[in-house]
């Protein structure tokens, strides 16, 4: 054991001494302090880097002269920090400031961070900014930190892993939590080239990126393919004309047993957002009148592949549950539509 105690060892980051191969570890210590441990071949040397306030992921890298560099979030000040060991002391810098935030649909750490050093030991930091739901990148240039938005969307940039590729250009693997896809961004020299690597099922969680000797990127990540039914997706409609598809099947807490794994809790995520242009009228059951918005769980097709909603504009529509795309939209004759059908079928249209 390196250190034993309640809550010790979360968000661990490991690096190997380039000269000796001995491990160095940065981790969350007692009272949410930031700790750094170094193995000398016989014992562990442990020192406190930051007393209290750490929150979320920690990322450690070693310079060519074997000195530690750490990126981490100070949850008390809501600042993304970078600290360097200079002689016997730790020198801290603020990379970015954040406003305090309590996310609506999130149990992930507020901001995840990944650190890489280039050939001249210059720091490159990738992190998820939950405030804007974006993946951001910071590099120290000319004595100050320059920040760029790499990718933005409903909720992108979770679990970033940054590495320095050919030509000293950074690349980042990460999760788009809105669609639960694995994405990859690489710097071209003037802009970020962003692509989706995997999208089938739920993929890209806990991504880890590395380049081989030929400069080819390799990404490892966690993925799963849940069964698709009305129990896996919640659809919410609002008075402002929005439909939200919320995936309820992403594991949050997993109990690991000798021969099986059990999902004890899930972490809901907004999978897609659709603007239909009129107040959404949803009903929880047959003949139920419209209730206050936001409204949840409208009618689903028998296979769970489509969801149906009525609009204030006397229209009914069917939406693909997986993509959030409108399958069809039809005006309903008569008065304004006040609720969604629980099931709808027309032999001529062959629609549910």
């Amino acid at each position: 054991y390196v250190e034993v105690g309640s809550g010790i060892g979360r968000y661990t980051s490991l690096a190997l001494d380039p000269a000796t191969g001995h491990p160095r570890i940065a981790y969350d210590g007692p009272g949410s302090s930031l700790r750094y441990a170094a193995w000398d071949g016989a014992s562990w040397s442990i020192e406190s880097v930051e007393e209290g306030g750490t929150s979320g992921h920690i990322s450690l890298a070693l310079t060519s002269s074997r000195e530690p560099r750490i990126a981490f979030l100070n949850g008390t000040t809501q600042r993304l920090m970078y600290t360097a060991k200079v002689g016997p002391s730790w020198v801290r810098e603020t990379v970015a400031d954040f406003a305090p935030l309590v996310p609506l649909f999130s149990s992930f750490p507020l901001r995840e961070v990944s650190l890489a050093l280039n050939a001249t030991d210059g720091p490159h930091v990738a992190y998820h900014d939950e405030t804007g739901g974006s993946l951001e990148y910071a590099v120290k240039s000319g004595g100050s930190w320059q920040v760029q938005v790499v990718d933005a969307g409903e909720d992108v940039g979770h679990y970033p892993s940054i590495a320095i590729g050919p030509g000293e250009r950074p690349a980042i693997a990460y999760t788009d939590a809105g669609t639960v896809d694995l994405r990859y961004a690489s710097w071209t020299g003037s802009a970020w080239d962003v692509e989706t690597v995997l999208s089938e099922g739920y993929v890209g969680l806990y991504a880890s990126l590395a380049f081989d000797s030929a400069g080819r990127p390799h990404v490892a990540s966690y993925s799963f393919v849940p069964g698709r039914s009305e129990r896996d997706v919640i659809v919410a409609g609002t008075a402002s004309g929005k439909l939200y598809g919320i995936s309820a099947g992403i594991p949050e807490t997993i109990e690991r047993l000798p021969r099986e794994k059990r999902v004890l809790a899930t972490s809901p995520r907004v999978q897609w957002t659709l603007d239909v242009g009129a107040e959404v009228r949803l009903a929880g059951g047959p003949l139920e009148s419209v209730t206050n918005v936001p409204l949840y769980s409208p009618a689903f097709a028998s296979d769970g592949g489509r969801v149906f909603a009525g609009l204030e504009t006397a229209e009914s529509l069917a939406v693909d549950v997986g993509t959030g795309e409108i399958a069809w939209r039809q005006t309903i004759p008569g008065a304004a539509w006040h609720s969604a059908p629980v099931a709808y079928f027309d032999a001529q249209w062959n629609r549910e």
Side-chain angles (χ1 to χ4, degrees):
Y1 298 103
V2 178
E3 186 175 4
V4 179
S6 177
I8 294 175
R10 295 176 300 175
Y11 314 119
T12 302
S13 182
L14 170 70
L16 299 180
D17 188 309
T20 65
H22 292 160
R24 313 281 188 90
I25 307 172
Y27 58 97
D28 196 15
S32 294
S33 62
L34 175 60
R35 305 278 252 203
Y36 173 73
W39 177 256
D40 62 8
S43 62
W44 289 98
S45 173
I46 300 174
E47 56 186 297
S48 182
V49 180
E50 183 96 353
E51 288 293 345
T54 61
S55 174
H57 288 188
I58 297 165
S59 188
L60 167 69
L62 299 181
T63 68
S64 55
S65 58
R66 306 161 56 196
E67 294 296 334
R69 303 289 186 263
I70 306 173
F72 67 98
L73 175 72
N74 186 309
T76 302
T77 63
Q78 292 290 301
R79 292 175 178 174
L80 179 62
M81 305 296 295
Y82 173 78
T83 183
K85 185 72 177 292
V86 180
S89 304
W90 291 91
V91 178
R92 300 167 185 80
E93 303 176 33
T94 298
V95 179
D97 284 301
F98 302 106
L101 176 74
V102 179
L104 177 60
F105 294 115
S106 178
S107 60
F108 292 88
L110 292 185
R111 286 110 188 164
E112 297 114 356
V113 61
S114 180
L115 168 68
L117 304 180
N118 61 22
T120 59
D121 297 327
H124 300 250
V125 180
Y127 59 94
H128 170 66
D129 181 1
E130 187 103 9
T131 306
S134 59
L135 172 68
E136 298 188 6
Y137 162 81
V139 60
K140 193 172 183 181
S141 176
S144 62
W145 289 93
Q146 308 297 320
V147 175
Q148 301 174 6
V149 175
V150 178
D151 194 5
E154 289 294 332
D155 195 8
V156 301
H158 281 281
Y159 302 112
S161 178
I162 189 170
I164 306 302
E168 289 293 287
R169 293 178 177 177
I172 308 167
Y174 57 99
T175 304
D176 181 340
T179 58
V180 199
D181 292 341
L182 174 62
R183 308 198 77 176
Y184 176 79
S186 56
W187 181 249
T188 65
S190 58
W192 288 97
D193 181 26
V194 177
E195 58 185 299
T196 297
V197 179
L198 293 173
S199 60
E200 183 177 354
Y202 288 177
V203 295
L205 282 74
Y206 317 113
S208 181
L209 169 66
F211 286 90
D212 62 22
S213 58
R216 295 171 299 191
H218 298 255
V219 181
S221 68
Y222 171 73
S223 66
F224 62 97
V225 181
R228 174 63 68 191
S229 74
E230 63 271 21
R231 293 187 298 275
D232 294 319
V233 175
I234 300 168
V235 176
T238 71
S240 61
K242 295 290 184 64
L243 273 177
Y244 294 92
I246 304 168
S247 176
I250 303 176
E252 174 186 355
T253 304
I254 301 176
E255 181 183 25
R256 290 172 172 81
L257 302 175
R259 295 183 181 275
E260 64 176 316
K261 297 179 181 179
R262 296 176 182 172
V263 177
L264 303 181
T266 58
S267 176
R269 285 276 164 184
V270 176
Q271 184 170 325
W272 48 261
T273 303
L274 178 63
D275 189 345
V276 296
E279 180 177 335
V280 180
R281 303 295 181 91
L282 309 177
L287 305 180
E288 288 189 8
S289 61
V290 66
T291 58
N292 294 331
V293 292
L295 305 170
Y296 300 92
S297 299
F300 287 81
S302 58
D303 63 358
R306 286 182 178 176
V307 63
F308 308 104
L311 304 182
E312 188 180 27
T313 51
E315 294 176 285
S316 184
L317 56 85
V319 179
D320 185 280
V321 170
T323 65
E325 296 178 352
I326 296 176
W328 53 262
R329 186 167 182 162
Q330 179 70 32
T331 300
I332 305 298
W337 197 249
H338 292 295
S339 65
V342 171
Y344 178 75
F345 179 78
D346 185 295
Q348 180 178 355
W349 295 340
N350 193 25
R351 296 168 177 164
E352 276 189 306

